Amino acid sequence: MKDVIHGYFDACNTGDADAVARFFAPGAVHYFPPDMYDGPFRGGEAIGAKWSWAVRTLGSHWTVDQIICDPDTDRAVIEWTHEKTKADVVLRGDEWYHFDPDTGLITEIRAYYASPQAAGLDRLELAGYPYAERGYAASS
């Protein structure tokens, strides 16, 4: 899992969309906080295309700062840094990963950003993520 995550980040930093896409199982989803990127990225090709655009347009560069893997559950969590060098912006956050047990490819990423609570939002959770279906506590 560590090798896959580090390989994925290395591929992201090259801006090669096809290289990024190879780290994802069919049907993979990358979730984000609300009002980011028009919702989740769906499929390796879309994920690769979005990060390729970010490298070209924003000068994006990502690092893995911390990583914990749980092979028994096919999950990992990382802390990361995303530098948008052309905009002089630094983002930090963490991501939860789920892997396909047969292929070792990424099936899901849930991204959480270190930032203040967004004004005007009454539900601060990942946009499009199926919380109730996954057994999370939820009201309405």
Side-chain angles (χ1 to χ4, degrees):
M1 288 186 283
K2 284 183 183 180
D3 290 343
V4 170
I5 292 170
H6 283 289
Y8 163 58
F9 271 68
D10 290 344
C12 288
N13 287 326
T14 69
D16 181 338
D18 293 332
V20 172
R22 286 193 276 276
F23 287 91
F24 290 92
V29 181
H30 193 322
Y31 293 97
F32 298 94
D35 297 330
M36 291 189 71
Y37 310 120
D38 299 319
F41 298 167
R42 296 187 182 278
E45 293 79 18
I47 296 166
K50 296 287 188 175
W51 295 149
S52 178
W53 175 89
V55 169
R56 289 188 322 275
T57 308
L58 306 172
S60 288
H61 182 269
W62 297 268
T63 58
V64 176
D65 302 318
Q66 301 283 332
I67 188 167
I68 300 171
C69 297
D70 183 1
D72 293 337
T73 62
D74 302 307
R75 294 182 302 163
V77 64
I78 69 166
E79 287 183 319
W80 49 260
T81 300
H82 175 188
E83 296 181 69
K84 297 179 182 183
T85 62
K86 292 181 181 179
D88 200 26
V89 170
V90 174
L91 303 172
R92 296 190 193 277
D94 67 76
E95 291 176 338
W96 282 83
Y97 286 73
H98 192 267
F99 296 86
D100 179 280
D102 297 324
T103 65
L105 296 174
I106 301 165
T107 60
E108 180 178 278
I109 301 174
R110 298 188 322 258
Y112 299 91
Y113 286 67
S115 63
Q117 179 174 322
L121 291 179
D122 59 355
R123 292 194 73 88
L124 298 162
E125 55 192 21
L126 295 174
Y129 187 75
Y131 286 98
E133 294 166 20
R134 301 275 179 100
Y136 284 80
S139 61
S140 32

